[in-house]
Amino acid sequence: MLWHCLVLRRRAGTSPVAKYVLLQIAANRGCSNGWGSQAELAVSLGLPRDLTYRGVRELRAAGLVTRFRPGGGRGSGLASALSPQVAGASGRSRIPKNELFDRNSQLIRHLLSSRAKANLGFRRTSAVMDELPIPSLVLLVVLVFFADKHGVVRSPSLAKLAELTWMDKQTVQRHLDRLRAMKVLIASVPGAYGRNLVGHGQGTYILDLALPLFGEAPFPSVILTLPIAVATSR
């Protein structure tokens, strides 16, 4: 469920806040029978109520969350759940089961859990997590999704990151700069673009998995020297 929600592309009217709420629901509740009030959901996920309300409202408008009346009784309050479209697609998706999948799943769940604790006022969280805005966290989770065992992310273009984080490319670039300033990204080499180039290039990003932000399990920092070719035209 979590991995399927990670690769869901942006729907009209959705924001990184909605993506974050969707990821927290998938990580904590999965394909459960839903939840009652949004206040109950906010408490169970460790999210501020206003953020939860906004995220669920956007998800419902996009058809990713549905509302129903448990038991069909008139006296019952309305409950919400992930739509059958999301739950059904999750059951059909092929997930790579290997050591890297398990490691990245652990890192992503830790990031989401740490953010929830920070929202609830727990002080035993990473200082970086306390300063990390929701859009930056969503971007970081997507980068971890594509990372290899060394924390090197080679595959996604800026346009692909925008689709998966539910942001535009300019906003993605701004949050990449923030992650770089916070030393979460050790280095990055953007993809190559230009009128004389065919298609678009894919960037390379290097995460510092040794940071406490990623949990107690130590991962060595990786420093790579990457050759950068500059193409000129006459």
Side-chain angles (χ1 to χ4, degrees):
M1 170 62 74
L2 177 59
W3 284 76
H4 174 70
C5 290
L6 268 168
V7 297
L8 274 178
R9 296 182 178 181
R10 187 177 187 181
R11 308 291 178 88
T14 55
S15 69
V17 169
K19 180 82 175 206
Y20 173 71
V21 172
L22 178 64
L23 293 176
Q24 286 286 16
I25 292 172
N28 290 278
R29 306 188 75 102
C31 296
S32 67
N33 293 325
W35 58 91
S37 67
Q38 293 183 40
E40 174 195 333
L41 178 65
V43 171
S44 68
L45 298 184
L47 302 177
R49 288 191 181 187
D50 57 342
L51 187 147
T52 305
Y53 293 167
R54 174 184 167 187
V56 171
R57 184 171 61 250
E58 292 180 10
L59 293 171
R60 189 182 302 129
L64 300 174
V65 164
T66 59
R67 301 188 76 182
F68 64 97
R69 197 174 297 278
R74 291 186 177 181
S76 303
L78 287 173
S80 300
L82 293 177
S83 69
Q85 174 188 5
V86 176
S90 176
R92 296 190 301 270
S93 61
R94 295 182 179 181
I95 299 176
K97 296 290 186 178
N98 52 43
E99 185 177 343
L100 181 61
F101 168 83
D102 292 337
R103 195 284 306 270
N104 287 357
S105 295
Q106 173 190 348
L107 292 178
I108 289 171
R109 290 181 183 277
H110 176 79
L111 288 170
L112 293 172
S113 173
S114 296
R115 180 65 199 201
K117 291 179 180 178
N119 288 335
L120 289 173
F122 284 69
R123 302 317 304 169
R124 295 180 63 186
T125 57
S126 164
V128 174
M129 180 60 73
D130 292 341
E131 300 171 5
L132 202 61
I134 293 297
S136 295
L137 176 61
V138 171
L139 175 58
L140 179 58
V141 165
V142 171
L143 289 173
V144 171
F145 174 82
F146 287 104
D148 66 12
K149 65 180 181 179
H150 302 296
V152 179
V153 184
R154 296 187 181 90
S155 54
S157 64
L158 195 62
K160 181 73 170 180
L161 290 176
E163 287 181 355
L164 298 183
T165 57
W166 300 5
M167 298 183 248
D168 56 47
K169 289 190 287 187
Q170 291 77 15
T171 305
V172 169
Q173 187 59 63
R174 187 165 67 249
H175 287 284
L176 283 171
D177 293 341
R178 180 182 285 271
L179 291 175
R180 201 177 299 114
M182 298 175 75
K183 309 300 183 184
V184 178
L185 277 179
I186 299 174
S188 63
V189 179
Y193 295 84
R195 64 182 181 180
N196 296 323
L197 299 175
V198 178
H200 56 81
Q202 296 176 335
T204 299
Y205 310 95
I206 307 172
L207 299 167
D208 188 357
L209 299 181
L211 291 174
L213 173 72
F214 293 102
E216 298 179 357
F219 298 98
S221 296
V222 177
I223 302 295
L224 299 178
T225 302
L226 301 175
I228 303 175
V230 179
T232 59
S233 59
R234 297 180 180 176

